Amino acid sequence: MSDTFSSQVIETTISRAIVENFSAKLLDNLTVDVAIVGGGPSALVAARYLAKKGVRVAIFERKLAPGGGTWGGGMLFNEVVVQDASLEILDEFGIHHKPIPGAPSYNTLDSVEMASGLIFGAVSAGAKIFNAVSVEDIVFRGEQVGGLVINWTPVERLGMHVDPLTVISQCVLDGTGHPSEIMHLAVEKAQLKLATSTGGILGEKPMWVDSGEASTVENTREYYPGLFACGMSANNVMGGYRMGPIFGGMMLSGRKAANLILKKLGK
Ligand code: 48F
């Protein structure tokens, strides 16, 4: 066998392995129990807790790297702060943390370790992450939200006229952060009335750390049959305050979202 021929065979083998395995992964996730939009900290925590209970869960993340707003810490200083209440979640993921001297119940951690640890924790528990995939619409079935409409992020960014594919799920979790993209689609395009005082999105308020942290968890709920929100998306829907580079509420929100969904699925 000549060198040229064997290198062609290896190249074909590599390409075939990638195409076959990706196709199998996507086919396997065209119908899931829970479809999560966005791969920020709240969503990644929710994904691990769901997957650990045997729930079939897939995350669709617009960017190449999941992790959302975790990576950049505060103003690109790659450290974040969490409260003691969320330490058991960090421990569950094996992410290190240390107390802040003179600030009882507050801790710091490396934001790169946190982002990568959350991603690995979700995937190693069995969740699948599809990166560079944007969710552009929801699927509506009967009287409930029943899936997602997806396309490649480059297709979205370039404005190419390419029809999407769909993912069917029993539950959809909006983890899109500050913009609450799926909730906006639900209200503005599908004309759904959410479980808020107006039926619409109340809009995020300015920074107030203590209030925002607590309300992020409180506002994590099912807003329409089959449609849940976590993290900053939930806070935006209910008019909660923002909180900057403190992430305990995000993780507690993700765990609460998982528990609500498990209950809904009867698990
Ligand atoms: O914003 P993000 O990190 O979500 P989160 O879990 O955490 C918020 C914190 O990062 C921070 C904060 C902490 O105190 O306030 O902001 O609420 O991650 C949201 C992810 O969703 C992706 C987006 O790229 C980001 O990685 N995303 C948003 N819209 C879509 C999407 C979409 N339509 N399709 C796919 N991914």
Side-chain angles (χ1 to χ4, degrees), residues 174 179-205 219 221-224 227 229 232-240:
D174 181 338
S180 297
E181 289 198 25
I182 304 310
M183 294 302 179
H184 274 285
L185 282 168
V187 170
E188 287 148 27
K189 190 165 181 197
Q191 311 266 303
L192 305 183
K193 286 220 171 307
L194 304 180
T196 66
S197 58
T198 62
I201 292 166
L202 305 184
E204 182 186 299
K205 295 204 183 82
N219 296 335
R221 56 181 83 159
E222 186 174 21
Y223 281 96
Y224 193 84
L227 179 58
M232 281 316 295
S233 174
N235 230 10
N236 180 41
V237 171
M238 284 299 270

Side-chain angles (χ1 to χ4, degrees), residues 52-204:
K52 274 185 73 179
K53 292 283 182 185
V55 171
R56 296 184 59 233
V57 50
I59 292 179
F60 300 89
E61 165 55 52
R62 174 177 283 138
K63 292 180 190 156
L64 204 47
T70 315
W71 296 101
M75 214 180 106
L76 285 183
F77 295 4
N78 67 359
E79 289 280 322
V80 295
V81 170
V82 298
Q83 308 85 324
D84 281 354
S86 58
L87 293 187
E88 63 180 341
I89 302 178
L90 287 177
D91 293 340
E92 158 75 21
F93 280 80
I95 297 169
H96 300 96
H97 47 81
K98 59 178 184 206
I100 303 179
S105 81
Y106 288 94
N107 311 268
T108 49
L109 59 149
D110 182 294
S111 67
V112 174
E113 181 180 348
M114 180 176 171
S116 53
L118 292 179
I119 296 165
F120 183 69
V123 172
S124 61
K128 289 285 178 276
I129 301 182
F130 294 90
N131 55 342
V133 173
S134 290
V135 175
E136 60 173 56
D137 211 341
I138 49 177
V139 176
F140 199 62
R141 289 187 304 140
E143 287 305 309
Q144 64 163 13
V145 173
L148 300 175
V149 179
I150 59 168
N151 214 328
W152 297 114
T153 298
V155 167
E156 178 192 65
R157 295 242 164 112
L158 293 170
M160 294 168 80
H161 189 166
V162 178
D163 274 322
L165 295 175
T166 50
V167 171
I168 298 301
S169 63
Q170 296 190 58
C171 297
V172 164
L173 176 60
D174 181 338
T176 62
H178 297 265
S180 297
E181 289 198 25
I182 304 310
M183 294 302 179
H184 274 285
L185 282 168
V187 170
E188 287 148 27
K189 190 165 181 197
Q191 311 266 303
L192 305 183
K193 286 220 171 307
L194 304 180
T196 66
S197 58
T198 62
I201 292 166
L202 305 184
E204 182 186 299

